[in-house]
Amino acid sequence: MTDEIINPNEETRVADGSKVDLHFSVAIENGVEIDNTRSREEPVSLVMGDGSLLPGFEKALFGLRAGDRRTVSLPPEDAFGPWNPENVQKFDTVKFEQRPVEGHMMEFEDKAKQSLFGVIKTVGEDITEVDFNHPLAGKNITFEVEIFKVTPAGQQGVKLM
């Protein structure tokens, strides 16, 4: 007997609530890869609609089934959002414990005491600008995915011994 998980219905398509085993890669428009799960031994598992993937990435998976591969180009609105100039804030340079360095990411605390990361954009004698946009905001993204297994919502795969 084998010790593998069998999906009794290979025609099962990705839908809301499905458990999906997949490998994926994400690259920005110039081809630079920013994330890739293919170096892992096993595919990653996620449940559609659980918030593990951005909605634009999930939308690209709907309707796929085990064995399918897809490459999708996503505009900023469907990926990490548009770059928003209002997310660039100015601070008094003297209020930093250490002199900030342009291009470095720093952790800040918002009014609700939540951690918030920002990239130091410019450092002047009086004013330092910090960009709180996601580093990939405003960028076109290429999302490549390979589906290994789809389990319908509320079901589990069958393991044969």
Side-chain angles (χ1 to χ4, degrees), residues 26-79:
V26 179
I28 53 178
E29 57 197 323
N30 63 5
V32 173
E33 192 171 82
I34 54 171
D35 196 6
N36 183 342
T37 64
R38 288 182 177 83
S39 61
R40 299 178 186 186
E41 247 181 71
E42 296 291 323
V44 295
S45 291
L46 58 92
V47 174
M48 297 297 288
D50 73 355
S52 334
L53 286 179
L54 292 172
F57 294 140
E58 280 197 353
K59 184 178 174 185
L61 300 180
F62 285 119
L64 297 181
R65 62 179 187 222
D68 285 348
R69 293 175 180 242
R70 178 174 281 173
T71 300
V72 180
S73 294
L74 298 170
E77 299 75 30
D78 292 334

Side-chain angles (χ1 to χ4, degrees), residues 77-161:
E77 299 75 30
D78 292 334
F80 295 93
W83 189 84
N84 183 349
E86 292 178 15
N87 289 340
V88 177
Q89 303 293 315
K90 295 179 181 184
F91 298 92
D92 291 332
T93 301
V94 296
K95 291 193 176 183
F96 289 86
E97 291 177 17
Q98 297 178 351
R99 186 160 179 88
V101 177
E102 286 182 20
H104 283 198
M105 185 175 284
M106 289 185 70
E107 185 174 6
F108 294 81
E109 197 174 83
D110 66 12
K111 291 177 182 174
K113 306 283 187 206
Q114 299 292 314
S115 284
L116 185 64
F117 289 91
V119 176
I120 305 301
K121 189 171 176 178
T122 62
V123 179
E125 287 304 314
D126 298 322
I127 300 293
T128 294
E129 286 186 319
V130 180
D131 187 348
F132 290 101
N133 284 290
H134 187 285
L136 298 173
K139 303 220 184 296
N140 293 313
I141 301 294
T142 300
F143 179 60
E144 240 178 74
V145 65
E146 180 179 4
I147 306 294
F148 290 90
K149 182 178 163 196
V150 179
T151 305
Q155 293 185 14
Q156 295 181 349
V158 177
K159 189 168 187 173
L160 302 178
M161 300 301 250

